[in-house]
Structure formats: structure tokens, C-alpha cells
Amino acid sequence: MKILAIETSCDETAAAVVEDGRKILSSVIASQVEEHKIYGGVVPEIASRRHAEAISGVVREALNQAGLSLKGLDAIAVTHAPGLIGALLVGVNFAKGLALSSGLPLIPVHHLRSHIAANYLEYPELKPPFLCLVVSGGHSHIVYVSDYTSFKVLGKTRDDAAGECYDKAARAMGMPYPGGVYLDKMAREGNPEAYRLPHPKVEGSKYDFSFSGLKTAVINLLHNAKQKGETINTADLCASFQKTVVDILVQNTLSAAKECNAEKIVLAGGVSANSALRARMAQACSESGLQLYYPPLSLCGDNAAMVGSQAYYEFFAGNTAGLDLNARATMPIESA
Ligand code: KG4
Ligand code: ZN
């Protein structure tokens, strides 16, 4: 089954053709990041306009690279939630137009479900059940994936997402947007024990996260040093910050894995590209006898191939939509 998938939830206009949920026939991404860099973050209005300009060309390119026309496809899939509403609407409406003109089924896909599915494209043997840490610019979730379309959130952030915290800390240190990857690189040169940063405690749920206090601690530390005329060692601060975030993510994921007797841990989302998270999680999993999976760097960030993968399983679960499909800025992963 060949699915044309479209992704426009944030600042990447992407289209891909995926066969049987596991094989990428083509994958095209047009990133707007250079334009948003000027503003230090994604400007939603600009994102929507750029998607509207790019989408026809990106979809055409994905079909060309797969050597297919609409006639060779079996379904159209699109990210419909969660994300920037104006950005999502561009993809949703384009997908609806294609479904209407071709008569093909329309499959709505939840953005976080698709991030998880990025792993199916890399590991042919990977099947649920597993425990997944989904960490992106907008979300930080520990999710038990009991089946391809059945999810239970065991923990999530109470405030900032891990990626958001990375980007804000990086910005305070003068790095360009999105700063996660720059901070990660700089952290490799520093001493992770140099600065003591808070390990925020979250009351109530055992596996929830809170990252806003950590972000504020970094900002305050920089501010105080500036006022006192002291210099901060940026590499050391990056390393200390990275160690703190990764400690929290690994500890919570491993305790949740123990409680739900998971045998497999899966990482997903933009922050799963983080070098320290991959290394520390690999070490923790090997010590606990758990199998670890994470996507290749090319599939960690937003792309449409992951949407085409998840769409295959949504289709067989009966999760198709009519032409009245709408986009939603927020939507729990369980109820998509
Ligand atoms: O999944 P994604 O591409 O978009 C959302 O759905 O949000 O995630 C983007 C996030 C950004 O916050 C970015 O800084 C972060 O992933 N990120 C990283 C790294 N690469 C990307 N964070 C830490 N270390 C990295 N190497
Ligand atoms: Zn994403």
C-alpha cells in the first residue's frame, strides 16, 4: 500500500511516499528555519504563508522522486494535530483537495504518533508493545505504546517541553534558533559538573517533568554573572544543563519502564537527536537489560515519511476521515 503523506505542523513543509508503513519511496522537506532564525523562534503567520507557497512543489517533488502519479497511490495522509493551527490547515486543506480529486481515502495522523513511527522506518523488526520517550520542541511525554494505534501517557511535562527548554537556554547563551543542536555540540566540550542546576521535583504524577525552573535557573545564572562582571564558561554551562535534562529524562523513563515491565525503550522527536540522551539512555538500557531504539538523525526532526508510516497503521485501524476534516492545535495522543 502506497501512501502520500503531508506534514506542515510547524516550520517544515514535507511530503513523502511510504510503502506498507515501512519503506520510504521518497521524502522531501522544505525547511523555513533560516527565515525564522531572524526572529529567534517560529513566527506562526510566516510559517503558514511559507507552507502555502511551498506545498505544491514539495508534493510534486515527492511524487516525482517516487516515480508515481496520484493514480499509483492508495491513500493520502496528513498531520492534522497538534501544531500551529494556520500551518496545519495548509497541509490539511491540500490533502483534502488531493483526496477529493483522486477519490483516495484520507488519513489524519497525530504528530506525536508519527514521531514514534519514525522508528518503524528504521527497524523492520520493531513492533509494539514498547515504552516511548517522545521529546520535541512542543512536547515531552512518556507513552506506553500497547499497539500501533493504542497509547497511554504515563508522564508529561507540566510546563516547557524539553526542546523548548533547550532552545530557550541556548538563546540566553546567544546561540541561533533552534538552539538544541548548538547547545548539544557545545556541551561535548564542557564539564557537566561545573554548575549546579536544579532538578525540579514534580508533585503528584511520578513520571511528569518540569523544565521551566531549569530554564529560569540558566537565565538567572547568566544574568547574575553579567551584573557582577563575571564570565561564564559557556561550554561548562551547556554540559551542566545537558546533564541535568538528560538525567531527568533517563530517570523518569527507566522508572516508568520498570513499572510497566517494558522490554523495549523507543526515543522519538527532535530531541531524540541529542547525543547525550542517546548515549546515557543506551547505557541505562544496557544496565537494565532493555532494548533501545532511536530514529536516524534524518528522521528525528519533522518529516513526512514518519506520517506515511503511522498512516498505514491508522488506515488498518479504520481511522480515516471525511472531507470535513479539520486541523486542531492541541489533541491528546490517546484520542487522535
Ligand atoms: O520534533 P521537532 O523537530 O519539532 C517539534 O515537533 O517540536 O523538535 C524540534 C526540537 C527543537 O526544540 C530542537 O532544538 C530540538 O528538537 N533538537 C535538539 C537537538 N536537535 C534538535 N535538542 C537537543 N539536542 C539536539 N541535538
Ligand atoms: Zn515534531
Side-chain angles (χ1 to χ4, degrees):
M1 178 177 193
K2 296 188 182 78
I3 299 178
L4 169 69
I6 295 173
E7 151 66 39
T8 62
S9 68
C10 190
D11 59 349
E12 262 96 30
T13 315
V17 181
V18 176
E19 188 168 12
D20 297 335
R22 299 277 176 164
K23 188 172 173 210
I24 303 174
L25 301 185
S26 67
S27 179
V28 178
I29 304 173
S31 176
Q32 312 169 358
V33 73
E34 289 306 320
E35 190 165 0
H36 296 291
K37 247 184 195 152
I38 305 166
Y39 306 98
V42 177
V43 182
E45 177 73 18
I46 294 176
S48 313
R49 288 167 190 246
R50 295 296 167 262
H51 285 310
E53 287 163 9
I55 190 136
S56 314
V58 167
V59 168
R60 192 184 301 272
E61 185 59 25
L63 287 171
N64 285 347
Q65 284 185 15
L68 292 168
S69 66
L70 281 181
K71 287 199 186 73
L73 298 172
D74 300 291
I76 309 289
V78 65
T79 309
H80 72 308
L84 301 173
I85 191 67
L88 288 165
L89 280 167
V90 176
V92 165
N93 276 314
F94 199 88
K96 282 162 65 163
L98 288 178
L100 177 65
S101 64
S102 63
L104 292 171
L106 178 64
I107 310 169
V109 177
H110 188 282
H111 186 60
L112 295 187
R113 291 188 180 196
S114 70
H115 268 301
I116 297 171
N119 287 280
Y120 303 141
L121 296 165
E122 181 68 4
Y123 306 103
E125 75 286 6
L126 178 62
K127 290 184 192 135
F130 53 77
L131 186 71
C132 186
L133 172 68
V134 194
V135 269
S136 72
H139 300 86
S140 301
H141 280 23
I142 295 176
V143 186
Y144 188 71
V145 183
S146 53
D147 203 346
Y148 289 104
T149 56
S150 301
F151 303 82
K152 184 164 191 251
V153 176
L154 303 181
K156 61 175 187 257
T157 183
R158 295 281 180 92
D159 37 57
D160 291 356
E164 190 180 355
C165 185
Y166 260 95
D167 294 344
K168 287 177 177 165
R171 187 178 173 169
M173 289 185 248
M175 295 172 195
Y177 170 84
V181 67
Y182 301 99
L183 201 159
D184 182 8
K185 226 183 216 163
M186 184 73 94
R188 287 175 226 163
E189 316 289 321
N191 170 12
E193 309 299 336
Y195 294 98
R196 284 196 74 79
L197 295 167
H199 242 251
K201 284 268 166 294
V202 182
E203 299 293 321
S205 166
K206 277 186 284 186
Y207 310 122
D208 277 1
F209 307 108
S210 166
F211 290 113
S212 78
L214 181 57
K215 168 197 70 188
T216 310
V218 169
I219 293 170
N220 287 345
L221 199 142
L222 289 163
H223 186 69
N224 289 341
K226 199 174 168 190
Q227 281 190 330
K228 291 183 194 154
E230 291 170 4
T231 46
I232 292 283
N233 181 318
T234 308
D236 284 353
L237 183 55
C238 287
S240 306
F241 170 87
Q242 175 134 298
K243 181 180 184 299
T244 310
V245 175
V246 169
D247 269 352
I248 297 167
L249 293 175
V250 172
Q251 275 168 16
N252 286 19
T253 307
L254 268 284
S255 343
K258 206 175 261 175
E259 185 168 315
C260 61
N261 291 320
E263 291 171 2
K264 292 176 260 183
I265 303 288
V266 172
L267 305 183
V271 183
S272 65
N274 186 266
S275 60
L277 176 62
R278 287 166 174 239
R280 290 275 309 290
M281 195 67 95
Q283 189 194 352
C285 284
S286 102
E287 283 166 11
S288 307
L290 298 165
Q291 191 77 32
L292 176 67
Y293 302 83
Y294 46 72
L297 290 179
S298 59
L299 294 173
C300 287
D302 291 343
N303 65 87
M306 65 188 193
V307 180
S309 173
Q310 181 62 23
Y312 177 76
Y313 299 101
E314 299 289 350
F315 180 80
F316 287 106
N319 299 334
T320 55
L323 292 174
D324 58 349
L325 176 67
N326 202 353
R328 297 257 305 267
T330 59
M331 182 183 277
I333 191 171
E334 294 100 328
S335 67

